[in-house]
Amino acid sequence: MDMNLLVPVASLIGGYRINGKVLILPIQGEGSSNMTMVNCDISLKWTGKLVDKNGKQFYQVDKFKVHFDTSRFYMDFTNLFNGDKALGDNMNVFLNDNWQDILKELKPAISAAFTKIFEAVVTNVFNRVPYNELYLA
């Protein structure tokens, strides 16, 4: 099964901890982050099979994959470099100026997070609603 979504604005908001390099620059910090994608085109693909439960057939997901693309990716990380405002502000500017290269590095992790979220939602629906009630004949 395939499902395509076009999400005008998708924000991933939460905590972060980083200590490493981004492209060629060192980066470190721990705090809150906001990563926002504009015009996020999300493709969901999954396979599965029908299983019998209490005399009804339900769809059981076996494999689930998510791919996405976006027309713009914005990032904001608080408390970079132990709260050094000048370094933190400059790093946030650098990240946003180089968003396409940064996104290439982050895409596998974001795809994995999207996969967990969307697979849980789809599985929850399929576990609660019998297959013959999902689609109109």
Side-chain angles (χ1 to χ4, degrees):
M1 294 187 182
D2 296 346
M3 180 183 288
N4 292 304
L5 307 167
L6 181 58
V7 181
V9 177
S11 294
L12 304 169
I13 299 170
Y16 81 92
R17 181 180 307 149
I18 190 168
N19 187 9
K21 288 188 177 189
V22 60
L23 300 179
I24 59 169
L25 297 177
I27 184 172
Q28 65 93 16
E30 182 175 355
S32 60
S33 66
N34 181 340
M35 296 183 287
T36 298
M37 292 174 275
V38 177
N39 296 323
C40 191
D41 187 5
I42 303 171
S43 171
L44 313 174
K45 294 179 188 279
W46 65 87
T47 60
K49 61 186 174 202
L50 293 176
V51 294
D52 289 325
K53 288 189 216 173
N54 302 323
K56 294 184 178 184
Q57 286 192 317
F58 290 82
Y59 190 84
Q60 180 179 316
V61 174
D62 288 329
K63 294 180 182 175
F64 201 97
K65 291 199 177 229
V66 174
H67 298 281
F68 75 94
D69 208 354
T70 184
S71 64
R72 186 66 169 93
F73 184 53
Y74 297 97
M75 294 159 277
D76 182 52
F77 295 92
T78 65
N79 201 43
L80 284 169
F81 306 104
N82 297 318
D84 184 313
K85 183 163 174 43
L87 284 175
D89 288 351
N90 283 326
M91 179 56 76
N92 277 309
V93 168
F94 174 81
L95 293 172
N96 285 289
D97 286 348
N98 295 281
W99 71 271
Q100 291 169 317
D101 293 325
I102 306 299
L103 183 59
K104 285 178 192 172
E105 296 294 321
L106 294 178
K107 210 167 196 180
I110 295 171
S111 289
F114 277 167
T115 297
K116 285 182 183 179
I117 293 165
F118 286 114
E119 184 174 16
V121 170
V122 168
T123 298
N124 192 31
V125 170
F126 286 143
N127 284 341
R128 294 175 186 261
V129 181
Y131 186 75
N132 68 339
E133 294 178 23
L134 287 171
Y135 304 99
L136 299 176

